[in-house]
Amino acid sequence: MTPPRVRHEAPADRAAVQAVVAAAFGQADEADLVERLHADGEVVISLVADDGGVIVGHVLLSAMTAPFRALGLAPVSVVPARQGTGVGSALVREAIRLARQAGYAAVFVLGDEAYYSRFGFDVEAARGFASPYAGDHFAVLELAPLTVRTAAVNYAPAFAALD
């Protein structure tokens, strides 16, 4: 199986992205989050995994409030038939590369430590940051050395609707 091409989401991809996100999570909540982030203008990087014109994965990075330039990584979605095949990893790696290239200092994620640590996300490094999501699944990836290690960081307001 040839790996899909990771590219920027195009406006024509929106319906397919909605379907991928809903299928990946087995519900519409995360797909609704993606739409709300778009509507609110909070999307900074949105990538799709395109397999011959079929969207099989999606990743989104949205603006965060922090004392440095930071992004929130969520959601990462892969259609169930392609989960575990490297599609999600390819999306996350490219999103991180683009965030670094754009001059962001950090990316935060709320997710499985075993999965996200492979990309350099660190739960311990995130412990000093105050967030409604702080805890054992809240991690940070430093893209540049952070001079502030204890501060409030907040995801875009759309995330509060998931609680």
Side-chain angles (χ1 to χ4, degrees):
M1 183 178 296
T2 316
R5 179 173 69 104
V6 174
R7 62 171 175 78
H8 288 278
E9 177 188 343
D13 298 326
R14 293 288 282 278
V17 166
Q18 285 288 99
V20 166
V21 177
F25 287 93
Q27 63 183 16
D29 291 352
E30 287 79 4
D32 293 344
L33 170 65
V34 169
E35 278 306 302
R36 175 118 186 253
L37 290 166
H38 275 291
D40 293 349
E42 300 286 358
V43 174
V44 176
I45 297 170
S46 184
L47 304 174
V48 296
D50 182 333
D51 189 5
V54 176
I55 304 303
V56 297
H58 174 258
V59 67
L60 189 139
L61 286 99
S62 57
M64 287 187 73
T65 303
F68 42 79
R69 292 186 74 211
L71 296 171
L73 174 65
V76 178
S77 310
V78 178
V79 294
R82 297 295 291 271
Q83 291 175 5
T85 66
V87 173
S89 292
L91 285 163
V92 171
R93 281 190 191 94
E94 181 62 4
I96 291 168
R97 187 188 73 75
L98 292 171
R100 183 176 278 119
Q101 183 179 41
Y104 284 87
V107 177
F108 288 85
V109 70
L110 182 66
D112 180 47
E113 182 181 10
Y115 181 78
Y116 287 104
S117 65
R118 75 178 80 176
F119 306 105
F121 286 92
D122 187 343
V123 169
E124 287 305 315
R127 294 221 189 269
F129 295 103
S131 166
Y133 306 101
D136 292 338
H137 299 287
F138 186 63
V140 64
L141 170 64
E142 293 184 37
L143 302 176
L146 297 180
T147 56
V148 175
R149 298 204 172 270
T150 55
V153 295
N154 293 299
Y155 282 88
F159 283 88
L162 284 178
D163 293 343

